[in-house]
Amino acid sequence: MSPKNDIIKQKLQEKFGDQVCDFQETYGILSFETDKELNLKLIQFLYDDAELQFKFLTDLCAVHYPDQAERELAIVYHLHNLVENIRIRVKVYININHPNIYTATKLFEAANWMERETHDFYGINFIGHPNLKRILNVEEMDYFPMRKNYPLEDQTRIDKDDEMFGRGGNF
Amino acid sequence: MPRPVRFNTKIKTIEKPEGYEGEGFFATNLDKVVGLARKKSIWPLPFATSCCGIEFMATMGSHYDLARFGSERVGFSPRQCDLLMVMGTIAKKMGPVLRQVYLQMAEPRWVIAVGACASSGGIFDTYSVLQGIDQIIPVDVYVPGCPPRPEAILDGFMKIQELVGKESLRRRTSEKYKALMESYGIQ
């Protein structure tokens, strides 16, 4: 780990102890996991700390891991320190049967649409979000298309031979 | 010396429809005259959402020149136009917009689906894309290709002209047409 990331890791461990874990560095970006109740406190700490200064939310998204029981959905916050140009990833895992997590809109205005998108595609319920409804897909859609238990293809289609088009069948 | 007058002898004219002819008069079906007039003065409405729209720009340009077929005026208001040209991928969220544009057009109206996406969803076999615009509005001519070349678009356009020229004046009030509109939920 690069010295900068070492300092970040050390500061986080001092403050949160065992509640932050699984530190990894990929392509120079530090990523780690935290508890779902802690997401706002941790982001607030990263924002407020005079040295860390992660004051920009680059991205907020989710990942579906269908094989990880009880922690199928990961919510990933990408934060950016614009002064030192350091990026960081915060991951929070939640149960797909209770996909509730506190909204980050109170900390970052940018989280508003990102959380709506994440809700749209993964069905995550951001508690306290001011306007949690679909943003990209049609409003009539009754499922969350990026969850892996739903097929990618449009199911209303009847004019294409499934085998020829690589859907189901043996090819 | 006066300059010789040179006439342009290469003018192409359309065959006149069947009818009775005498000195100073010509009588034929109203259908045929109206069809002839309509097919050479179609105002297209381009509804271009992606790469097929780029091909259509070439089709409108001086090289391929859609104006040769009587469509000098491309309208950008559905209320003025006769032919809706849908070119490109129509996302499901765009569907109601396309339908609204179609409803705003006055009868008689025609629709051409240009390219694989407008015709069938094309390569976008996915939850967010409409699998062919004929799910929401009736289509007269489909142009295959991904994207089709300007020649193909012109060919499709000429097929539309053929339909327009041959259309009976009573078609739009017929039971069959009403049933078609009914099947799309349009009165």
Side-chain angles (χ1 to χ4, degrees), chain A residues 121 135 152 154 157 160, chain B residues 92-93 120 122 125 127 131:
Chain A
F121 285 101
I135 186 167
L152 173 72
D154 186 84
R157 186 158 207 166
K160 278 189 174 173
Chain B
K92 278 183 183 162
K93 210 164 184 175
S120 73
D125 187 6
Y127 59 89
Q131 302 297 302

Side-chain angles (χ1 to χ4, degrees), chain A residues 121 135-138 141 143 145-146 152-154 156-157 159-160 167, chain B residues 92-94 96 119-129 131 135:
Chain A
F121 285 101
I135 186 167
L136 291 171
N137 285 305
V138 283
M141 189 174 265
Y143 68 104
M146 296 296 271
L152 173 72
E153 294 86 0
D154 186 84
T156 62
R157 186 158 207 166
D159 59 335
K160 278 189 174 173
R167 307 161 74 192
Chain B
K92 278 183 183 162
K93 210 164 184 175
M94 188 64 114
S119 303
S120 73
I123 58 165
F124 299 103
D125 187 6
T126 175
Y127 59 89
S128 59
V129 171
Q131 302 297 302
Q135 291 192 358

Side-chain angles (χ1 to χ4, degrees), chain A residues 72-129:
Chain A
E72 291 95 344
L73 290 170
I75 291 140
V76 189
Y77 300 87
H78 292 237
L79 299 165
H80 194 177
N81 174 344
L82 293 164
V83 180
E84 311 252 355
N85 193 20
I86 303 169
R87 291 172 192 275
I88 196 172
R89 272 194 296 254
V90 183
K91 290 184 185 177
V92 179
Y93 289 87
I94 56 174
N95 188 328
I96 200 164
N97 298 314
H98 311 284
N100 303 313
I101 192 163
Y102 293 112
T103 176
T105 45
K106 303 293 181 290
L107 305 179
F108 293 104
E109 283 293 331
N112 191 321
W113 283 14
M114 294 180 192
E115 286 185 353
R116 276 180 69 186
E117 187 188 356
T118 312
H119 164 73
D120 191 352
F121 285 101
Y122 293 92
I124 287 155
N125 179 26
F126 290 95
I127 300 161
H129 190 285

Side-chain angles (χ1 to χ4, degrees), chain B residues 102-114:
Chain B
Y102 178 76
L103 292 176
Q104 284 174 345
M105 291 171 72
E107 291 276 20
R109 55 194 168 187
W110 290 270
V111 178
I112 177 169
V114 175

Side-chain angles (χ1 to χ4, degrees), chain B residues 30-99:
Chain B
L30 187 61
D31 272 17
K32 286 176 182 159
V33 182
V34 171
L36 202 64
R38 274 181 181 167
K39 77 182 233 190
K40 296 290 176 186
S41 62
I42 294 174
W43 286 23
L45 169 67
F47 194 96
T49 52
S50 47
C51 42
C52 291
I54 307 295
E55 291 297 304
F56 181 68
M57 291 172 203
T59 314
M60 278 196 305
S62 54
H63 193 89
Y64 293 98
D65 201 5
L66 190 67
R68 293 180 294 151
F69 301 88
S71 296
E72 186 69 82
R73 171 71 154 76
V74 176
F76 293 98
S77 158
R79 297 181 201 282
Q80 295 177 312
C81 292
D82 313 300
L83 171 64
L84 178 60
M85 302 187 79
V86 184
M87 295 164 283
T89 322
I90 303 296
K92 278 183 183 162
K93 210 164 184 175
M94 188 64 114
V97 179
L98 178 64
R99 192 183 156 86

